[in-house]
Amino acid sequence: RSDSRLRGFLLFIFLLFLSLIGITVFLKLNQRAFAGTPIWPVSKAIKLPPPEPPSKLRKVVESSLIGTVGSYSVVVKNLETGEGVSINGERVFPAASIYKLWVMAAVYQQIQLGKMSLDDPIKEDIASLNDFFDIPEEEAELTEGSVSFTVESALRQMITISHNYAALSLTKKVGLTNLNTFLEEYGLFNIRVGGEPTITAADVSLFLEKLYRGKVVSEDAS
């Protein structure tokens, strides 16, 4: 009986030894699996091409701004080659007198549509114009009297000497609603008139290109 107990004990020890060996081998194999190739295949990284170096035109524009103070918005385009440079082109700025360019274009569009003539007279009271455009008295260039033009003379003075009251008179004659509709028709969504006019360099560039290519008004309107 003692011999059978001994044989049973030795068999138990042998089986336990085999079990420990099996567990050790299993853990080693799994360790290698996790340390090597992942379970899920990983696609190779996409190698992106290096960025293109700045063009000569961009270098010229950027070098001209070195050392300047303030905020700038610059759009330059070669209409023959299509090459262009935009720096802060979508940034909105006050328009100042640049708004007179699209007032001019809208007037010529009205002429082309037969709704206005170069010979049409315009006469406006200064105080009424200031009130219509919400210009405070302390900021107004003029505060009393009246102005009188034809559409043609108002256009000429607005563009050649930047006459503010010629521009205001023409803007009122065209109508702010018509002027904003005109701008939207040509995709100039960041240009606004009424109150404080606003612009972006990108929209001004687009406007001038369309004007140059005869897509705003035709030469017949003049």
Coordinates of all heavy atoms in Angstrom, one line a residue, residues 36-123:
G36 N 5.8 41.4 -31.3 CA 6.1 41.4 -32.8 C 5.1 42.0 -33.6 O 4.6 43.1 -33.3
T37 N 4.6 41.3 -34.6 CA 3.6 41.8 -35.5 C 2.2 41.9 -34.8 O 1.8 41.0 -34.1 CB 3.4 40.8 -36.7 OG1 4.6 40.6 -37.3 CG2 2.4 41.4 -37.7
P38 N 1.5 43.1 -34.9 CA 0.3 43.3 -34.2 C -0.8 42.3 -34.7 O -0.7 41.7 -35.8 CB -0.2 44.7 -34.6 CG 1.1 45.3 -35.1 CD 2.0 44.3 -35.6
I39 N -1.8 42.0 -33.9 CA -2.9 41.1 -34.3 C -3.6 41.6 -35.5 O -3.9 40.9 -36.4 CB -3.8 40.9 -33.1 CG1 -3.1 40.2 -31.9 CG2 -5.0 40.0 -33.5 CD1 -4.0 40.0 -30.7
W40 N -3.9 42.9 -35.5 CA -4.6 43.6 -36.6 C -3.6 44.2 -37.5 O -2.7 45.0 -37.0 CB -5.6 44.6 -36.2 CG -6.7 44.0 -35.3 CD1 -6.8 44.1 -33.9 CD2 -7.8 43.2 -35.7 NE1 -7.9 43.5 -33.4 CE2 -8.5 42.8 -34.5 CE3 -8.2 42.6 -36.9 CZ2 -9.6 42.0 -34.5 CZ3 -9.3 41.8 -36.9 CH2 -10.0 41.5 -35.7
P41 N -3.6 44.0 -38.8 CA -2.6 44.6 -39.7 C -2.7 46.1 -39.7 O -3.8 46.6 -39.7 CB -2.9 43.9 -41.0 CG -4.3 43.5 -41.0 CD -4.5 43.1 -39.5
V42 N -1.6 46.8 -39.7 CA -1.6 48.2 -39.7 C -1.1 48.7 -41.1 O -0.1 48.2 -41.6 CB -0.6 48.8 -38.7 CG1 -0.6 50.3 -38.8 CG2 -1.1 48.4 -37.3
S43 N -1.9 49.5 -41.8 CA -1.5 50.0 -43.1 C -0.2 50.9 -43.0 O 0.0 51.5 -42.0 CB -2.6 50.8 -43.8 OG -2.9 51.9 -43.0
K44 N 0.5 50.8 -44.1 CA 1.7 51.6 -44.1 C 1.4 53.1 -44.1 O 0.4 53.6 -44.7 CB 2.6 51.3 -45.3 CG 3.1 49.9 -45.3 CD 4.0 49.6 -46.5 CE 4.5 48.2 -46.5 NZ 5.3 47.9 -47.7
A45 N 2.3 53.9 -43.4 CA 2.1 55.4 -43.4 C 2.2 56.0 -44.8 O 3.0 55.6 -45.6 CB 3.1 56.0 -42.5
I46 N 1.2 56.9 -45.1 CA 1.2 57.6 -46.4 C 2.3 58.7 -46.4 O 2.3 59.5 -45.5 CB -0.2 58.2 -46.7 CG1 -1.2 57.1 -46.7 CG2 -0.1 58.9 -48.0 CD1 -2.6 57.6 -46.9
K47 N 3.2 58.6 -47.3 CA 4.2 59.6 -47.4 C 3.7 60.8 -48.3 O 3.5 60.6 -49.4 CB 5.5 59.0 -48.1 CG 6.7 59.8 -47.9 CD 7.9 59.1 -48.4 CE 9.2 59.9 -48.2 NZ 10.4 59.2 -48.7
L48 N 3.6 61.9 -47.6 CA 3.1 63.1 -48.3 C 4.2 63.8 -49.0 O 5.4 63.8 -48.6 CB 2.5 64.1 -47.3 CG 1.3 63.6 -46.5 CD1 0.9 64.6 -45.4 CD2 0.1 63.3 -47.4
P49 N 3.9 64.4 -50.2 CA 4.9 65.1 -50.9 C 5.3 66.4 -50.1 O 4.5 67.0 -49.4 CB 4.2 65.5 -52.2 CG 2.8 65.5 -51.9 CD 2.6 64.4 -50.9
P50 N 6.6 66.8 -50.3 CA 7.0 68.1 -49.6 C 6.2 69.3 -50.1 O 5.8 69.3 -51.2 CB 8.5 68.2 -50.0 CG 8.6 67.4 -51.2 CD 7.6 66.3 -51.1
P51 N 6.0 70.3 -49.2 CA 5.2 71.5 -49.7 C 6.0 72.2 -50.8 O 7.2 72.2 -50.8 CB 5.1 72.3 -48.4 CG 6.2 71.8 -47.5 CD 6.4 70.4 -47.8
E52 N 5.2 72.8 -51.7 CA 5.8 73.5 -52.8 C 6.5 74.8 -52.2 O 5.9 75.5 -51.4 CB 4.8 73.9 -53.8 CG 4.2 72.7 -54.6 CD 3.3 73.1 -55.7 OE1 3.1 74.3 -55.9 OE2 2.7 72.2 -56.3
P53 N 7.6 75.2 -52.7 CA 8.3 76.4 -52.3 C 7.4 77.6 -52.7 O 6.7 77.5 -53.7 CB 9.6 76.4 -53.0 CG 9.4 75.5 -54.2 CD 8.4 74.5 -53.8
P54 N 7.5 78.7 -52.0 CA 6.7 79.9 -52.4 C 7.1 80.4 -53.7 O 8.3 80.4 -54.1 CB 7.0 80.9 -51.3 CG 8.3 80.4 -50.6 CD 8.3 78.9 -50.8
S55 N 6.1 80.9 -54.5 CA 6.4 81.4 -55.8 C 7.2 82.8 -55.7 O 7.3 83.4 -54.7 CB 5.1 81.7 -56.6 OG 4.4 82.7 -55.9
K56 N 7.7 83.2 -56.9 CA 8.5 84.5 -56.9 C 7.5 85.6 -56.6 O 7.9 86.6 -55.9 CB 9.1 84.7 -58.3 CG 10.2 83.7 -58.6 CD 10.8 84.0 -60.0 CE 12.0 83.1 -60.3 NZ 12.6 83.4 -61.6
L57 N 6.3 85.5 -57.0 CA 5.3 86.6 -56.8 C 5.0 86.7 -55.3 O 5.0 87.8 -54.7 CB 4.0 86.3 -57.5 CG 2.9 87.3 -57.4 CD1 3.4 88.7 -57.8 CD2 1.6 86.9 -58.2
R58 N 4.8 85.5 -54.6 CA 4.6 85.6 -53.2 C 5.8 86.1 -52.4 O 5.7 86.9 -51.5 CB 4.3 84.2 -52.6 CG 4.1 84.1 -51.1 CD 3.6 82.8 -50.6 NE 2.1 82.7 -50.9 CZ 1.2 83.2 -50.1 NH1 1.6 83.9 -49.0 NH2 -0.1 83.1 -50.4
K59 N 7.0 85.8 -52.9 CA 8.2 86.3 -52.2 C 8.3 87.8 -52.3 O 8.7 88.5 -51.4 CB 9.5 85.7 -52.8 CG 9.7 84.2 -52.4 CD 10.9 83.6 -53.1 CE 11.2 82.2 -52.7 NZ 12.4 81.6 -53.4
V60 N 7.9 88.3 -53.5 CA 7.9 89.8 -53.7 C 6.9 90.5 -52.8 O 7.2 91.5 -52.2 CB 7.6 90.1 -55.2 CG1 7.4 91.6 -55.4 CG2 8.7 89.7 -56.1
V61 N 5.7 89.9 -52.7 CA 4.7 90.5 -51.9 C 5.1 90.5 -50.4 O 5.0 91.5 -49.7 CB 3.3 89.8 -52.1 CG1 2.3 90.3 -51.1 CG2 2.8 90.0 -53.5
E62 N 5.5 89.3 -50.0 CA 5.9 89.1 -48.6 C 7.1 90.0 -48.2 O 7.1 90.6 -47.1 CB 6.2 87.7 -48.2 CG 4.9 86.8 -48.3 CD 5.2 85.3 -48.0 OE1 6.4 85.0 -48.1 OE2 4.3 84.6 -47.7
S63 N 8.1 90.1 -49.1 CA 9.2 90.9 -48.8 C 8.9 92.4 -48.7 O 9.5 93.2 -47.9 CB 10.3 90.7 -49.8 OG 9.9 91.2 -51.1
S64 N 7.9 92.8 -49.4 CA 7.4 94.2 -49.4 C 6.8 94.6 -48.1 O 6.6 95.8 -47.7 CB 6.5 94.6 -50.6 OG 5.3 93.9 -50.4
L65 N 6.3 93.6 -47.3 CA 5.6 93.8 -46.1 C 6.5 93.7 -44.9 O 6.1 94.0 -43.7 CB 4.4 92.8 -45.9 CG 3.3 92.9 -46.9 CD1 2.3 91.8 -46.7 CD2 2.6 94.3 -46.8
I66 N 7.8 93.3 -45.1 CA 8.7 93.2 -44.0 C 9.0 94.5 -43.3 O 9.3 95.5 -44.0 CB 10.1 92.6 -44.5 CG1 9.9 91.1 -45.0 CG2 11.1 92.6 -43.4 CD1 11.1 90.5 -45.6
G67 N 8.8 94.6 -42.0 CA 9.1 95.8 -41.3 C 7.9 96.7 -41.2 O 8.0 97.8 -40.6
T68 N 6.8 96.4 -41.9 CA 5.6 97.3 -41.8 C 4.9 97.1 -40.5 O 5.0 96.1 -39.8 CB 4.7 97.0 -43.0 OG1 4.3 95.6 -42.9 CG2 5.3 97.3 -44.3
V69 N 4.1 98.1 -40.1 CA 3.4 98.1 -38.9 C 1.9 98.1 -39.2 O 1.5 98.8 -40.1 CB 3.7 99.3 -38.0 CG1 2.9 99.3 -36.7 CG2 5.2 99.3 -37.6
G70 N 1.1 97.3 -38.5 CA -0.4 97.3 -38.7 C -0.8 96.0 -39.4 O -0.1 95.1 -39.6
S71 N -2.1 96.0 -39.7 CA -2.7 94.8 -40.3 C -2.9 95.0 -41.8 O -3.3 96.1 -42.2 CB -4.1 94.5 -39.7 OG -3.9 94.3 -38.3
Y72 N -2.6 94.0 -42.6 CA -2.6 94.1 -44.0 C -3.5 93.0 -44.6 O -3.5 91.9 -44.1 CB -1.2 94.1 -44.6 CG -0.4 95.3 -44.4 CD1 0.3 95.5 -43.2 CD2 -0.4 96.4 -45.3 CE1 1.1 96.6 -43.0 CE2 0.4 97.5 -45.1 CZ 1.1 97.6 -43.9 OH 1.8 98.8 -43.7
S73 N -4.1 93.4 -45.7 CA -4.8 92.4 -46.5 C -4.4 92.6 -48.0 O -4.6 93.7 -48.5 CB -6.3 92.5 -46.4 OG -7.0 91.6 -47.1
V74 N -3.8 91.6 -48.6 CA -3.2 91.8 -49.9 C -3.7 90.7 -50.8 O -3.5 89.5 -50.5 CB -1.7 91.9 -49.9 CG1 -1.1 92.1 -51.3 CG2 -1.2 92.9 -48.9
V75 N -4.2 91.1 -52.0 CA -4.5 90.1 -53.0 C -3.9 90.6 -54.3 O -4.2 91.7 -54.8 CB -6.0 89.8 -53.2 CG1 -6.2 88.9 -54.4 CG2 -6.6 89.2 -51.9
V76 N -3.0 89.8 -55.0 CA -2.4 90.2 -56.2 C -2.7 89.0 -57.2 O -2.5 87.9 -56.9 CB -0.9 90.4 -56.1 CG1 -0.3 90.8 -57.4 CG2 -0.6 91.5 -55.1
K77 N -3.1 89.4 -58.4 CA -3.4 88.3 -59.4 C -2.9 88.8 -60.8 O -3.2 89.9 -61.2 CB -4.9 88.0 -59.5 CG -5.2 86.8 -60.4 CD -6.6 86.4 -60.3 CE -6.9 85.2 -61.2 NZ -8.3 84.8 -61.2
N78 N -2.2 87.9 -61.5 CA -1.8 88.1 -62.9 C -2.9 87.6 -63.7 O -3.2 86.4 -63.8 CB -0.5 87.4 -63.2 CG 0.0 87.7 -64.5 OD1 -0.7 87.9 -65.5 ND2 1.4 87.7 -64.7
L79 N -3.6 88.6 -64.4 CA -4.8 88.2 -65.2 C -4.5 87.4 -66.4 O -5.4 86.8 -67.0 CB -5.6 89.5 -65.5 CG -6.2 90.2 -64.3 CD1 -7.0 91.4 -64.7 CD2 -7.1 89.3 -63.4
E80 N -3.2 87.5 -66.8 CA -2.8 86.7 -68.0 C -2.5 85.3 -67.7 O -2.9 84.3 -68.4 CB -1.6 87.4 -68.7 CG -2.0 88.8 -69.3 CD -0.8 89.3 -70.1 OE1 0.3 88.7 -70.1 OE2 -0.9 90.5 -70.6
T81 N -1.8 85.0 -66.6 CA -1.4 83.7 -66.3 C -2.3 83.0 -65.2 O -2.3 81.8 -65.1 CB 0.1 83.7 -65.7 OG1 0.1 84.4 -64.5 CG2 1.0 84.4 -66.7
G82 N -3.0 83.8 -64.5 CA -3.9 83.3 -63.4 C -3.1 83.1 -62.1 O -3.8 82.8 -61.1
E83 N -1.8 83.4 -62.1 CA -1.1 83.3 -60.8 C -1.5 84.3 -59.9 O -1.7 85.5 -60.2 CB 0.4 83.4 -61.1 CG 1.3 83.3 -59.9 CD 2.8 83.6 -60.1 OE1 3.1 84.1 -61.3 OE2 3.6 83.4 -59.2
G84 N -1.7 83.9 -58.6 CA -2.1 84.9 -57.6 C -1.5 84.6 -56.2 O -1.0 83.6 -56.0
V85 N -1.6 85.7 -55.4 CA -1.1 85.6 -54.0 C -2.2 86.3 -53.2 O -2.7 87.3 -53.5 CB 0.2 86.3 -53.8 CG1 0.6 86.4 -52.4 CG2 1.3 85.7 -54.7
S86 N -2.6 85.6 -52.1 CA -3.5 86.2 -51.1 C -2.9 86.1 -49.7 O -2.5 85.0 -49.3 CB -4.8 85.4 -51.2 OG -5.7 85.9 -50.2
I87 N -2.9 87.2 -49.1 CA -2.4 87.3 -47.7 C -3.5 88.0 -46.9 O -3.8 89.2 -47.1 CB -1.1 88.1 -47.5 CG1 0.0 87.4 -48.3 CG2 -0.7 88.2 -46.1 CD1 1.3 88.1 -48.4
N88 N -4.2 87.3 -46.0 CA -5.4 87.8 -45.2 C -6.4 88.3 -46.2 O -7.1 89.3 -45.9 CB -4.9 88.9 -44.3 CG -4.0 88.5 -43.2 OD1 -4.1 87.3 -42.7 ND2 -3.1 89.3 -42.8
G89 N -6.6 87.6 -47.3 CA -7.5 88.1 -48.3 C -9.0 88.1 -47.9 O -9.8 88.9 -48.4
E90 N -9.4 87.3 -47.0 CA -10.8 87.2 -46.5 C -11.1 88.1 -45.3 O -12.2 88.1 -44.8 CB -11.2 85.7 -46.2 CG -11.0 84.8 -47.4 CD -11.9 85.2 -48.6 OE1 -12.9 85.8 -48.3 OE2 -11.5 84.8 -49.7
R91 N -10.1 88.8 -44.8 CA -10.3 89.6 -43.6 C -11.1 90.8 -44.0 O -10.8 91.5 -45.0 CB -8.9 90.0 -43.0 CG -9.0 90.8 -41.7 CD -7.7 90.9 -41.1 NE -7.8 91.7 -39.8 CZ -6.8 92.0 -39.0 NH1 -5.6 91.5 -39.3 NH2 -7.0 92.7 -37.9
V92 N -12.1 91.1 -43.1 CA -13.0 92.3 -43.4 C -12.4 93.6 -42.8 O -11.9 93.6 -41.7 CB -14.3 92.0 -42.8 CG1 -15.3 93.2 -43.0 CG2 -15.0 90.7 -43.4
F93 N -12.4 94.6 -43.7 CA -11.9 95.9 -43.3 C -12.9 97.0 -43.6 O -13.8 96.7 -44.5 CB -10.6 96.3 -44.1 CG -9.4 95.6 -43.6 CD1 -9.0 94.3 -44.1 CD2 -8.6 96.2 -42.7 CE1 -7.9 93.7 -43.7 CE2 -7.4 95.5 -42.2 CZ -7.1 94.3 -42.7
P94 N -12.9 98.1 -43.0 CA -13.7 99.3 -43.4 C -13.4 99.6 -44.9 O -12.2 99.6 -45.2 CB -13.4 100.4 -42.4 CG -12.8 99.7 -41.2 CD -12.1 98.5 -41.8
A95 N -14.4 100.0 -45.7 CA -14.1 100.2 -47.1 C -13.5 101.5 -47.4 O -12.9 101.7 -48.5 CB -15.4 100.0 -47.9
A96 N -13.8 102.5 -46.5 CA -13.4 103.9 -46.9 C -14.0 104.3 -48.2 O -15.1 103.9 -48.6 CB -11.9 104.1 -46.8
S97 N -13.2 105.0 -49.1 CA -13.8 105.4 -50.4 C -13.8 104.4 -51.5 O -14.3 104.6 -52.6 CB -13.0 106.7 -50.8 OG -13.4 107.8 -50.1
I98 N -13.3 103.2 -51.2 CA -13.3 102.1 -52.2 C -14.7 101.7 -52.6 O -14.9 101.3 -53.7 CB -12.5 100.9 -51.7 CG1 -11.0 101.3 -51.4 CG2 -12.5 99.7 -52.7 CD1 -10.1 100.2 -50.9
Y99 N -15.6 101.9 -51.7 CA -17.0 101.6 -52.0 C -17.6 102.3 -53.2 O -18.5 101.9 -53.8 CB -17.9 101.8 -50.7 CG -18.5 103.3 -50.6 CD1 -19.7 103.6 -51.1 CD2 -17.7 104.2 -50.0 CE1 -20.2 104.9 -51.0 CE2 -18.2 105.5 -49.8 CZ -19.4 105.9 -50.4 OH -19.9 107.2 -50.2
K100 N -16.9 103.4 -53.5 CA -17.4 104.2 -54.7 C -17.2 103.5 -56.0 O -17.9 103.8 -57.0 CB -16.6 105.6 -54.7 CG -16.9 106.5 -53.5 CD -16.0 107.6 -53.4 CE -16.3 108.4 -52.1 NZ -15.4 109.5 -51.8
L101 N -16.3 102.5 -56.0 CA -16.2 101.7 -57.3 C -17.4 100.9 -57.6 O -17.8 100.9 -58.7 CB -15.0 100.8 -57.1 CG -13.6 101.4 -57.0 CD1 -12.5 100.3 -56.7 CD2 -13.3 102.1 -58.4
W102 N -18.0 100.3 -56.6 CA -19.2 99.5 -56.9 C -20.5 100.4 -57.0 O -21.4 100.0 -57.6 CB -19.4 98.3 -56.0 CG -19.1 98.5 -54.6 CD1 -19.9 98.8 -53.6 CD2 -17.8 98.2 -54.0 NE1 -19.3 98.8 -52.4 CE2 -18.0 98.5 -52.6 CE3 -16.6 97.8 -54.5 CZ2 -16.9 98.3 -51.7 CZ3 -15.5 97.6 -53.6 CH2 -15.7 97.9 -52.2
V103 N -20.4 101.6 -56.4 CA -21.5 102.5 -56.7 C -21.5 102.9 -58.1 O -22.5 102.9 -58.8 CB -21.4 103.8 -55.8 CG1 -22.4 104.8 -56.2 CG2 -21.6 103.4 -54.3
M104 N -20.3 103.2 -58.7 CA -20.2 103.5 -60.1 C -20.7 102.3 -61.0 O -21.5 102.6 -61.9 CB -18.7 103.7 -60.4 CG -18.4 103.9 -61.9 SD -16.6 103.9 -62.3 CE -16.2 102.2 -61.9
A105 N -20.3 101.1 -60.6 CA -20.7 99.9 -61.4 C -22.2 99.8 -61.4 O -22.8 99.4 -62.4 CB -20.0 98.7 -61.0
A106 N -22.8 99.9 -60.2 CA -24.2 99.8 -60.1 C -25.0 100.8 -60.8 O -26.1 100.6 -61.4 CB -24.6 99.8 -58.6
V107 N -24.5 102.1 -60.9 CA -25.1 103.1 -61.7 C -25.1 102.8 -63.1 O -26.1 102.9 -63.8 CB -24.4 104.5 -61.4 CG1 -24.8 105.5 -62.5 CG2 -24.6 105.0 -60.0
Y108 N -23.9 102.3 -63.6 CA -23.9 101.9 -65.1 C -24.8 100.7 -65.4 O -25.3 100.6 -66.5 CB -22.4 101.6 -65.5 CG -21.7 102.9 -65.8 CD1 -20.6 103.3 -65.0 CD2 -22.0 103.6 -66.9 CE1 -19.9 104.4 -65.3 CE2 -21.3 104.8 -67.2 CZ -20.2 105.2 -66.4 OH -19.5 106.3 -66.8
Q109 N -25.0 99.8 -64.4 CA -25.9 98.7 -64.6 C -27.3 99.3 -64.7 O -28.1 98.8 -65.6 CB -25.8 97.7 -63.5 CG -26.7 96.5 -63.7 CD -26.8 95.6 -62.5 OE1 -27.3 96.1 -61.4 NE2 -26.4 94.4 -62.6
Q110 N -27.7 100.2 -63.9 CA -29.0 100.9 -64.0 C -29.2 101.6 -65.3 O -30.3 101.5 -65.9 CB -29.2 101.9 -62.8 CG -29.2 101.2 -61.4 CD -30.5 100.5 -61.2 OE1 -31.6 101.0 -61.2 NE2 -30.4 99.2 -60.9
I111 N -28.2 102.2 -65.8 CA -28.2 102.8 -67.1 C -28.4 101.8 -68.2 O -29.3 102.0 -69.1 CB -27.0 103.7 -67.4 CG1 -26.9 104.9 -66.4 CG2 -26.9 104.2 -68.8 CD1 -25.6 105.6 -66.5
Q112 N -27.7 100.7 -68.1 CA -27.8 99.6 -69.1 C -29.2 99.0 -69.1 O -29.7 98.6 -70.1 CB -26.8 98.5 -68.8 CG -26.5 97.6 -69.9 CD -25.3 96.7 -69.6 OE1 -24.9 96.6 -68.5 NE2 -24.7 96.1 -70.6
L113 N -29.8 99.0 -67.9 CA -31.2 98.4 -67.8 C -32.3 99.4 -68.2 O -33.5 99.1 -68.2 CB -31.4 97.9 -66.4 CG -30.6 96.7 -65.9 CD1 -30.8 96.5 -64.4 CD2 -30.9 95.5 -66.7
G114 N -31.8 100.7 -68.5 CA -32.8 101.7 -68.9 C -33.5 102.3 -67.7 O -34.5 103.0 -67.9
K115 N -33.0 102.1 -66.5 CA -33.7 102.7 -65.3 C -33.1 104.1 -64.9 O -33.5 104.7 -64.0 CB -33.6 101.8 -64.1 CG -34.3 100.4 -64.4 CD -34.2 99.5 -63.2 CE -34.9 98.2 -63.4 NZ -34.8 97.3 -62.3
M116 N -32.0 104.5 -65.6 CA -31.3 105.7 -65.3 C -30.6 106.2 -66.5 O -30.4 105.5 -67.5 CB -30.3 105.5 -64.2 CG -29.8 106.7 -63.4 SD -28.6 106.3 -62.1 CE -29.6 105.3 -61.0
S117 N -30.4 107.5 -66.6 CA -29.7 108.1 -67.7 C -28.5 109.0 -67.2 O -28.6 109.5 -66.1 CB -30.6 109.0 -68.5 OG -29.9 109.8 -69.5
L118 N -27.5 109.1 -68.0 CA -26.4 110.0 -67.6 C -26.8 111.5 -67.4 O -26.2 112.2 -66.7 CB -25.3 109.9 -68.6 CG -24.4 108.6 -68.6 CD1 -23.5 108.6 -69.8 CD2 -23.6 108.5 -67.3
D119 N -27.9 111.8 -68.1 CA -28.4 113.2 -68.0 C -29.4 113.5 -66.9 O -29.8 114.6 -66.7 CB -29.1 113.6 -69.4 CG -28.1 113.5 -70.5 OD1 -26.9 113.9 -70.3 OD2 -28.5 113.1 -71.6
D120 N -29.7 112.4 -66.2 CA -30.7 112.6 -65.1 C -30.2 113.6 -64.0 O -29.0 113.5 -63.6 CB -31.0 111.3 -64.4 CG -31.9 110.4 -65.2 OD1 -32.4 110.8 -66.2 OD2 -32.0 109.2 -64.8
P121 N -31.0 114.6 -63.6 CA -30.5 115.5 -62.6 C -30.6 114.9 -61.2 O -31.5 114.1 -60.9 CB -31.5 116.7 -62.8 CG -32.8 116.1 -63.3 CD -32.3 114.9 -64.1
I122 N -29.7 115.3 -60.3 CA -29.7 114.9 -58.9 C -29.6 116.2 -58.1 O -28.6 116.9 -58.3 CB -28.6 113.9 -58.6 CG1 -28.6 112.7 -59.5 CG2 -28.7 113.5 -57.1 CD1 -27.4 111.8 -59.3
K123 N -30.5 116.4 -57.2 CA -30.3 117.5 -56.2 C -30.7 117.0 -54.8 O -31.8 116.4 -54.6 CB -31.2 118.7 -56.6 CG -31.0 119.9 -55.7 CD -31.7 121.1 -56.2 CE -31.4 122.3 -55.4 NZ -32.1 123.6 -55.9

